[in-house]
Amino acid sequence: MQTPAFQRARSVEHKQQRRDEMLAAARDLAAAHGVRAVTMTDIANEVGVHKSGVLRYFETREAVFLELLTEGWTEWMDACVPAIYQANGNPAKVAKAIAGTLAKRPLFCDLLAHAPMNLERGVSVEAVREFKASAFRQIDRFERAVTTALPKLTKADARALISAANAFASTLWQISHPTAAVAELYRTDPHLAHAVVDFAPSLRRQTETTILGLLTRRQNG
Amino acid sequence: MQTPAFQRARSVEHKQQRRDEMLAAARDLAAAHGVRAVTMTDIANEVGVHKSGVLRYFETREAVFLELLTEGWTEWMDACVPAIYQANGNPAKVAKAIAGTLAKRPLFCDLLAHAPMNLERGVSVEAVREFKASAFRQIDRFERAVTTALPKLTKADARALISAANAFASTLWQISHPTAAVAELYRTDPHLAHAVVDFAPSLRRQTETTILGLLTRRQNG
């Protein structure tokens, strides 16, 4: 918990600063404890204001996390798109570019799983519209990069690829980050050895399989 | 809401009957409103007992839904495994067998998304152990069927396939079932037309892509 430099932000500049502090607090708390566990009260305590102070900036906790997810999409593509271009048309390297940049962003992977189930249900329709419009602009960047790097793939293929990669990232992240008690169970019960999933290599392999499948479908006409 | 035939179950038979009524109530409520929305109080009201009566049988709402997911795994494989054998080694038909039997089980697809994120975190470690052991027996049936129907695929491939199919089913189900307000937004905003996902055909196509990718990887050695 911090002691804020001012109790209530009144200038535009202070308001922006307070908002950024709240987003940073949510980011830190979610990275440490998982998105699921973080409440508005946690965020308020971390910033050093009352919960009502957070509610002045964000309608719900879901609005906070949807904003982090929006910024996460842009930030992911800023890393992923150049990596795809550098893959020189090699399918395995394109898979590595996508999966590798996702695996370096655990909070983004956690947020992806929460988006349709929780985040989009806990905000206004207007907030969903803004989030979707922003995410689609990033998906457009992905489509251009993939269809340039692997010219046999269509825009629809690139969209299927990002949908699959997001599905793998969000589900594999949750599966590979169980509670401490469940993780201990997996380590100690020989019948449950299969339950241990190694996040980054599984994500990369599943993404590569999808690219190979899409290329095979195009080759078969 | 029903009026129960007896207020408190005392015989083994009545206890089993009461337990089955609670599971049936949870199943109906989740099918109608989504797993996310159903509380222990809703289940109690539906059965016609006090919430404490439900807590006598299930430690948490997550325990109720983990039991429905356990039964869902067996029930899915009872349909999926024969369909895989009937696919006669045709990859597209194997994909149809897997995706088609999943798409007919919307509650199971909804539950899959909740399992690692919510259900496994809201029950005892012993309950997680029982759930995992049961699910793994069903995954074994899937592996045998897939490696028999498509002999080029290994057991590890079959496991990657069911992991991918589950990832697609759970994420595509959530994405294709937004709130009424968000569904209306997707229909009316031309920029968001891409947000509309048709669940069954998308699931089938993604599953087929995964099978083609796994076969291509084996062919390439």
Side-chain angles (χ1 to χ4, degrees), chain A residues 142-162:
Chain A
F142 180 89
E143 286 177 6
R144 275 195 300 276
V146 165
T147 52
T148 306
L150 300 170
K152 281 178 187 152
L153 296 188
T154 65
K155 276 189 75 166
D157 292 335
R159 190 168 284 265
L161 174 57
I162 198 164

Side-chain angles (χ1 to χ4, degrees), chain B residues 163-178:
Chain B
S163 163
N166 281 356
F168 300 141
S170 65
T171 54
L172 291 172
W173 196 91
Q174 299 296 330
I175 290 168
S176 58
H177 293 81

Side-chain angles (χ1 to χ4, degrees), chain B:
Chain B
M1 169 164 168
Q2 309 165 6
T3 305
F6 41 87
Q7 198 48 47
R8 181 158 175 182
R10 299 192 187 275
S11 70
V12 171
E13 188 195 333
H14 277 182
K15 280 183 178 159
Q16 186 59 49
Q17 189 182 327
R18 183 52 52 86
R19 207 170 184 284
D20 290 347
E21 283 166 17
M22 290 170 185
L23 289 171
R27 209 182 285 117
D28 292 349
L29 289 164
H33 309 291
V35 171
R36 185 179 186 273
V38 181
T39 66
M40 286 295 246
T41 305
D42 295 334
I43 297 169
N45 288 345
E46 185 78 8
V47 176
V49 299
H50 190 263
K51 186 181 162 185
S52 62
V54 183
L55 288 167
R56 215 170 284 131
Y57 293 84
F58 298 97
E59 49 178 341
T60 53
R61 69 180 283 286
E62 286 77 20
V64 177
F65 288 116
L66 205 59
E67 182 144 339
L68 291 185
L69 183 58
T70 304
E71 110 190 350
W73 266 102
T74 306
E75 203 266 327
W76 176 36
M77 280 307 136
D78 288 348
C80 181
V81 163
I84 290 172
Y85 283 117
Q86 282 160 27
N88 262 333
N90 177 319
K93 286 184 182 168
V94 172
K96 187 183 172 187
I98 298 166
T101 52
L102 271 171
K104 279 186 193 148
R105 289 164 175 79
L107 175 57
F108 182 66
C109 295
D110 191 2
L111 286 166
L112 279 175
H114 286 271
M117 187 196 286
N118 299 321
L119 304 187
E120 294 176 17
R121 290 170 202 270
V123 299
S124 65
V125 172
E126 192 45 48
V128 173
R129 185 202 302 272
E130 280 177 30
F131 162 64
K132 285 282 169 182
S134 174
F136 283 155
R137 281 193 296 276
Q138 301 307 317
I139 292 173
D140 281 345
R141 295 173 68 194
F142 180 89
E143 287 177 4
R144 276 196 300 278
V146 164
T147 53
T148 306
L150 299 170
K152 280 178 190 154
L153 296 189
T154 64
K155 276 189 74 169
D157 292 336
R159 190 168 285 266
L161 174 57
I162 197 164
S163 163
N166 281 356
F168 300 141
S170 65
T171 54
L172 291 172
W173 196 91
Q174 299 296 330
I175 290 168
S176 58
H177 293 81
T179 61
V182 170
E184 174 68 14
L185 168 68
Y186 292 169
R187 270 194 304 274
T188 53
D189 186 326
H191 299 295
L192 299 186
H194 280 311
V196 179
V197 168
D198 209 349
F199 179 58
S202 301
L203 177 59
R204 181 171 165 185
R205 197 167 174 87
Q206 294 276 40
T207 304
E208 191 178 311
T209 299
T210 299
I211 294 177
L212 291 177
L214 291 166
L215 288 169
T216 300
R217 199 198 292 278
R218 291 295 157 208
Q219 271 158 7
N220 295 350

